[in-house]
Amino acid sequence: MVKRLCLAIGAGLSLSAAYEPLALAWLLPPAVACYALALRGLTVRRAGLVGLAFGVAFYFTHIAWMRTSIGPDAWAALSSVEAAFYGLLGLTVPLLRRLPAWPVWLAAAWTTMETIRSGWPFSGMPWGRLSFAAIDTPAAPAVAYLSMTGLSFVLALAGFALAHLTEGVLEHRARGQLVRRGAGLVAVAALLLAPALFPYQVSTSGTTTVAVVQGDVPGPGNNILYDSLGVTENHVDATVALAADVAAGRAPRPDFVLWPENSTATDPFRPGPVRQGILEAASTIGVPVVVGALVDDGPDHILNQGVVWDPATGPGERYTKRHPVPYGEYIPFRRYWDPKFGQLALISRDMKSGTRTEPLRVAGVSLADAICFDVVYDDVMPPQVRDGAELLAVQTSNASFIFTHQVEQQFAITRLRAIEAGRWLTVASTNGRSGVIDPDGEVVATAEPRTTAVLVNEVGLSSDLTPAMRMGPWPSRLLAVVALLAVVWGGVAYRRGRGTPHRRGAGTEEDAVRNSSTPSPDESTRVG
């Protein structure tokens, strides 16, 4: 059992290394394979324990950025919840491994686990989905065909197919069986890599010129509230300077300007210097400015919004953040528990969730907006694309995480969203990392973190839908049904097989004990 726990912990650490900052994506299939190998032959309860060890090793390291940026208590609590999902998945492994072609069913279960933890509890935490590690690999173009969920499924399937082949080698299976298992692995690899040879191409229906403003954050750089008025002034000054460059012929005139999340931390609809600054910026540049603003919603609530501010008509359409962060932007069940300690004491008002699924209309362009963590959720940008969005935008602050690897992890996910949707994507951040990304996920322009910069780029517009956008939420729904049916089928097979001898390697640890006259010292304790 100790060896299995060590293998699971090593696999979890390897999976974490597949993401930024190391981005060793080639470790992903072996890490998933080792997860399956560590649980091989175990009873249900032991499989859950080993799966939990994997989850702890993976998630505590994957979001280690939260420990220093938000606090060790929030990091430990969230990591523990997310790690538990890998333990729960482990409980199903002994059942699913009773089925023929078990890598398929286990891949469906893994992907369904990712879907569930991405939305629950509260708004969930999608960070750590397998697909998010695929940027800058030959598998990245597949997301336009498969969606984020479908890509996770195929990546998981590749890992479990590798485990299936490895088991055959360890068990000295007949050559014919090894060839069949190897052929299955090759087929999955071909499914992943074929889109790199034939990337999905969307037609361009026009162009627009966007100015992305990164104003920078005064003071230590990791606290928007240190000088929130200074943050707004920085973005106003950068926009006014851009207007001067346009007037002098040093820069092209943009069709609209994109400011980041928290470019104003004071309600811009109230009279005061923040509102005056926005009016000055919009009137000077002479085009709409999409402002990232915190907007009051009564004495107890607040909204995180992207507001289209026209130089002539003033504020117009708004997008409200769909997924505020629990215990970061609101306190769940505050009526029953209102903490007044640590970082939680700073959350005096709860942030409400938005419901908008149609794109904003900005300077004649249909713009799909997402605010910060919204970009990792499947119910934010894809519905806006299906509703006609021609261009994508992410307004983010990231100031709290500026000294951590969260910034690069989020930027990698953002690049995948551009490929998935087949759209140009613009990112505005307060102090990093802002950029312009093309539909192939390539970074066309970017600004150095903790600097003031303006990126002015002509970008393409499109109304075509990639296969991923056409499928919508159906991959998640179908895989969930498949996983549920497989678990039920596997549970029946598991109960029937507890007293039945099985071929070598197919049964559980309990079967080995029952059917062997000399049980192994490491495997002779019955648990589960």
Side-chain angles (χ1 to χ4, degrees):
M1 189 66 176
V2 173
K3 292 181 180 179
R4 292 176 181 273
L5 288 171
C6 290
L7 179 59
I9 291 171
L13 295 175
S14 296
L15 183 58
S16 181
Y19 302 83
E20 290 67 25
L22 297 180
L24 303 176
W26 60 269
L27 286 174
L28 193 152
V32 173
C34 287
Y35 176 87
L37 292 172
L39 275 62
R40 173 175 175 253
L42 292 179
T43 56
V44 170
R45 269 186 275 180
R46 282 195 170 187
L49 176 62
V50 174
L52 177 61
F54 171 92
V56 168
F58 169 52
Y59 225 85
F60 274 75
T61 54
H62 181 53
I63 63 166
W65 44 265
M66 183 175 282
R67 181 174 59 85
T68 54
S69 58
I70 305 300
D73 49 353
W75 166 68
L78 180 58
S79 297
S80 298
V81 170
E82 298 304 311
F85 281 97
Y86 295 89
L88 293 173
L89 176 67
L91 296 176
T92 71
V93 172
L95 313 182
L96 298 174
R97 287 178 64 95
R98 292 283 179 150
L99 306 179
W102 63 261
V104 175
W105 318 123
L106 187 50
W110 179 294
T111 310
T112 300
M113 176 271 294
E114 285 190 348
T115 299
I116 294 172
R117 71 170 186 79
S118 294
W120 186 89
F122 309 117
S123 57
M125 182 59 170
W127 235 262
R129 294 169 71 179
L130 296 183
S131 53
F132 291 168
I135 196 65
D136 293 325
T137 74
V143 75
Y145 292 92
L146 302 174
S147 77
M148 291 288 191
T149 299
L151 181 55
S152 277
F153 169 74
V154 179
L155 287 169
L157 182 57
F160 294 135
L162 177 60
H164 198 213
L165 176 60
T166 303
E167 287 180 358
V169 173
L170 295 175
E171 296 167 1
H172 305 290
R173 292 280 179 169
R175 180 177 298 178
Q177 291 188 14
L178 294 180
V179 169
R180 285 193 294 272
R181 294 186 184 189
L185 178 58
V186 170
V188 176
L191 181 60
L192 273 174
L193 302 180
L197 300 176
F198 308 99
Y200 192 85
Q201 299 292 328
V202 295
S203 61
T204 301
S205 57
T207 63
T208 192
T209 300
V210 183
V212 174
V213 177
Q214 177 178 293
D216 202 10
V217 177
N222 62 349
N223 185 357
I224 287 290
L225 299 180
Y226 174 85
D227 182 4
S228 62
L229 183 57
V231 174
T232 303
E233 289 176 347
N234 284 352
H235 288 83
V236 171
D237 292 345
T239 306
V240 171
L242 171 62
D245 288 341
V246 170
R250 293 187 295 268
R253 176 175 296 278
D255 294 304
F256 71 91
V257 177
L258 183 67
W259 283 9
E261 174 194 29
N262 293 156
S263 48
T264 84
T266 302
D267 190 337
F269 295 96
R270 293 191 300 183
V274 167
R275 182 182 178 89
Q276 284 302 119
I278 296 172
L279 291 172
E280 178 188 359
S283 62
T284 303
I285 193 66
V287 298
V289 179
V290 183
V291 178
L294 293 180
V295 178
D296 297 330
D297 189 43
D300 299 322
H301 296 93
I302 197 167
L303 303 172
N304 192 347
Q305 295 188 323
V307 183
V308 181
W309 208 290
D310 188 272
T313 60
E317 295 191 30
R318 308 189 217 175
Y319 168 81
T320 303
K321 187 175 183 180
R322 292 283 304 275
H323 294 278
V325 179
Y327 300 107
E329 294 173 319
Y330 74 99
I331 305 295
F333 307 118
R334 188 189 286 269
R335 70 175 66 179
Y336 305 111
W337 182 60
D338 191 5
K340 300 294 184 182
F341 55 86
Q343 295 290 322
L344 297 179
L346 301 177
I347 308 173
S348 58
R349 292 187 292 174
D350 289 334
M351 186 176 290
K352 281 186 176 180
S353 301
T355 59
R356 183 179 184 126
T357 58
E358 64 270 19
L360 298 171
R361 195 70 181 171
V362 187
V365 174
S366 292
L367 180 72
D369 196 12
I371 296 179
C372 199
F373 278 28
D374 272 354
V375 73
V376 302
Y377 290 90
D378 291 341
D379 63 350
V380 176
M381 281 187 161
Q384 295 181 70
V385 172
R386 288 191 292 273
D387 204 21
E390 303 166 288
L391 177 67
L392 310 181
V394 175
Q395 297 175 281
T396 187
S397 170
N398 278 345
S400 298
F401 312 111
I402 194 61
F403 302 116
T404 74
H405 302 300
Q406 185 274 350
V407 176
E408 291 304 319
Q409 288 180 1
Q410 181 174 319
F411 199 74
I413 298 167
T414 301
R415 291 173 60 197
L416 278 168
R417 286 295 182 196
I419 302 173
E420 181 189 38
R423 297 287 189 277
W424 283 79
L425 191 154
T426 53
V427 186
S429 177
T430 49
N431 60 348
R433 184 184 179 197
S434 300
V436 178
I437 302 165
D438 72 13
D440 296 323
E442 297 297 325
V443 181
V444 174
T446 188
E448 287 295 318
R450 301 200 67 192
T451 64
T452 298
V454 178
L455 308 174
V456 184
N457 288 82
E458 184 180 47
V459 299
L461 305 175
S462 179
S463 57
D464 286 356
L465 294 181
T466 63
M469 292 297 96
R470 293 183 185 278
M471 289 188 294
W474 282 105
S476 296
R477 294 171 180 173
L478 293 175
L479 288 169
V481 171
V482 169
L484 177 61
L485 294 176
V487 168
V488 172
W489 180 20
V492 173
Y494 182 81
R495 290 183 62 86
R496 288 178 176 174
R498 288 171 70 115
T500 304
H502 292 273
R503 65 185 184 277
R504 183 173 53 187
T508 65
E509 198 175 50
E510 185 177 322
D511 297 328
V513 172
R514 181 182 291 113
N515 298 311
S516 173
S517 58
T518 56
S520 166
D522 292 336
E523 309 290 351
S524 60
T525 303
R526 175 174 175 175
V527 178

